[in-house]
Amino acid sequence: MPVNQASAGHLLRLIRTGEAVTRGELQHVTGLSRSTVGNRLDQLFAAGWLRDTAAGASTGGRPSARLEFNSSHAVVLAVDLETRHSRAAVLGLDGTLLADRSEPLLISDGPDRVLDTVASWFPSLLEKAGTDASRVCGIGLSVPGPVDWTTGQLVQPPIMPGWDQYPVPVRMQEAYARHVPSAGAPVPVLVDNDANLMAYAEQRLFYPDCSAFVLVKVSTGIGAGVVVDGEPYRGIDGGAGDIGHIRLHDRTEALCMCGSYGCLAAVASGRAIAEQLASAGIPTTSGSDVREHLAAGQPDAVRLAREAGQRVGEVLVTVVTLLNPGVLVLAGDLAGTPFLTGVRELLYQRAMPRTTAHLNVVTSRLGDQAALSGAAAMVVEHLYAPDRADTRLAALNGA
């Protein structure tokens, strides 16, 4: 292994993935000398990123202590922005939820108000989690719109007026500094689409061996997150998975929030069902209300959710045929038995048997926590990736 592929950051990656968890294994995998491995591990221990765990049973010689990532040395702040409410949380680096808060908050109020409001929750959340700003290593934001990953800016989000090209990372840093004055240096802020982050969290936790994974979120809008070989697939500018705006040939009269007619989201989203229920005299204003009706077994809601599942299933036939995933997860306000049944009916009816032979169609296991978990994982994987880790270690050492 080349020297630049066996830096302290790369040793950390080997330890975190379980590929090498003792000093001897690190020497074997990297080809580095014992002293070089020791020096690089010293950097990681000094930063608080590693810890020794109990060694295995001795076979006569000195047992080798196992090394593991010290997930308690820092915390992450995660934010899940929805159309009508938001959640924020403090999580450990291993994804453990330490404190959380959920409040009504309209995304249509605009980025300045929304980001400042969410940032105002951070001091009490940190106190509730029993930690302080000095341990916050980053902030992850989940948003219901397409995101250009390289800039963290939203790109023409249909249900987020005023957010297009807004400098979310910078403004979030500024809002955090206003409300948490003890924060010190600006912390990294990473932003991604909610479906991407939900897919990332579900795949990592429950389907780590699935190399092609799709999650579809159906709430106010409809979006898909795709994870291929353990990494989110975002497309060239964050537009991958925006299936809610695929046109349905037989619903050209349905006006979508994006301004076009016939979009899947205008027909089969939580918002669309809410409008249909309201028109039938059933008090409903949002996808959240639809969820409550479904939980109560309201007959019209159950029927419409199943029909929505069928319409989404029509589109997913193409998605599944193109990507050939092993797992398809349904999430969001409509993710329940009626919607799942509708999706399965159309999917297995119209897709080629070869395409669905090994496909597992299920509902989300993380539920409302999926986006928060994905946002935290995004921050951790970014900050502790080998090259980024080496840069941070150099800064800690004053290099």
Side-chain angles (χ1 to χ4, degrees):
M1 180 179 291
V3 171
N4 66 343
Q5 293 297 302
S7 64
H10 283 83
L11 296 189
L12 180 64
R13 180 186 63 80
L14 293 172
I15 294 166
R16 293 186 64 217
T17 61
E19 188 175 346
V21 295
T22 67
R23 287 166 172 78
E25 290 174 353
L26 289 169
Q27 289 174 239
H28 176 73
V29 170
T30 64
L32 297 176
S33 68
R34 179 178 179 179
S35 61
T36 301
V37 167
N39 288 335
R40 293 180 182 174
L41 290 179
D42 286 344
Q43 297 178 50
L44 297 171
F45 276 110
W49 296 1
L50 281 189
R51 60 188 172 199
D52 284 315
T53 62
S58 174
T59 57
R62 180 182 178 183
S64 297
R66 294 175 62 86
L67 304 165
E68 72 174 19
F69 181 55
N70 180 13
S71 59
S72 65
H73 79 270
V75 297
V76 175
L77 293 171
V79 178
D80 175 20
L81 301 181
E82 295 276 6
T83 54
R84 300 172 66 88
H85 68 274
S86 294
R87 301 180 187 88
V90 182
L91 297 97
L93 300 185
D94 59 355
T96 301
L97 185 68
L98 303 175
D100 68 316
R101 176 174 177 175
S102 179
E103 298 283 350
L105 185 62
L106 297 177
I107 201 79
S108 58
D109 285 344
D112 288 321
R113 180 174 179 180
V114 169
L115 295 180
D116 189 71
T117 299
V118 169
S120 72
W121 301 346
F122 290 153
S124 60
L125 279 171
L126 290 170
E127 182 178 1
K128 183 178 178 182
T131 188
D132 57 56
S134 66
R135 297 183 62 231
V136 175
C137 66
I139 302 173
L141 266 71
S142 166
V143 296
V147 176
D148 184 336
W149 170 250
T150 59
T151 65
Q153 295 181 350
L154 284 107
V155 183
Q156 300 177 9
I159 60 176
M160 299 178 68
W163 290 77
D164 184 32
Q165 301 299 322
Y166 185 84
V168 175
V170 173
R171 294 294 182 264
M172 185 75 259
Q173 285 180 333
E174 293 172 351
Y176 177 63
R178 282 196 301 274
H179 291 282
V180 189
S182 60
V187 297
V189 175
L190 301 179
V191 186
D192 203 355
N193 169 262
D194 53 2
N196 287 346
L197 294 176
M198 294 168 73
Y200 191 44
E202 295 269 353
Q203 189 272 336
R204 284 166 56 89
L205 288 174
F206 305 116
Y207 309 96
D209 297 327
C210 181
S211 61
F213 178 96
V214 177
L215 177 143
V216 176
K217 180 187 179 185
V218 185
S219 290
T220 300
I222 300 176
V226 179
V227 180
V228 177
D229 291 333
E231 296 293 333
Y233 177 76
R234 301 182 176 92
I236 60 172
D237 64 0
D242 202 4
I243 64 172
H245 301 287
I246 292 176
R247 308 288 177 84
L248 301 177
H249 68 87
D250 60 342
R251 293 300 306 273
T252 55
E253 84 292 350
L255 176 61
C256 183
M257 292 185 69
C258 72
S260 297
Y261 288 86
C263 293
L264 178 65
V267 175
S269 66
R271 178 188 178 93
I273 293 181
E275 291 175 350
Q276 295 176 65
L277 289 172
S279 297
I282 302 167
T284 316
T285 60
S286 66
S288 296
D289 291 340
V290 175
R291 178 192 289 198
E292 293 179 5
H293 289 318
L294 290 171
Q298 206 286 331
D300 292 303
V302 170
R303 173 180 56 81
L304 290 172
R306 181 167 178 169
E307 292 175 359
Q310 292 172 337
R311 299 315 303 255
V312 173
E314 292 178 35
V315 170
L316 290 178
V317 169
T318 301
V319 173
V320 167
T321 301
L322 177 66
L323 297 176
N324 189 208
V327 178
L328 169 62
V329 172
L330 304 178
D333 290 330
L334 300 191
T337 300
F339 186 81
L340 175 66
T341 299
V343 169
R344 283 176 168 168
E345 284 176 348
L346 263 290
L347 197 54
Y348 289 111
Q349 178 187 93
R350 298 191 181 180
M352 293 289 289
R354 169 67 181 82
T355 304
T356 57
H358 303 289
L359 176 64
N360 189 17
V361 184
V362 296
T363 55
S364 169
R365 295 172 64 176
L366 285 172
D368 290 340
Q369 193 179 327
L372 291 175
S373 296
M378 167 181 63
V379 171
V380 174
E381 293 307 313
H382 176 75
L383 292 181
Y384 295 93
D387 292 345
R388 175 78 53 179
D390 288 330
T391 300
R392 295 174 64 211
L393 286 171
L396 289 173
N397 293 329

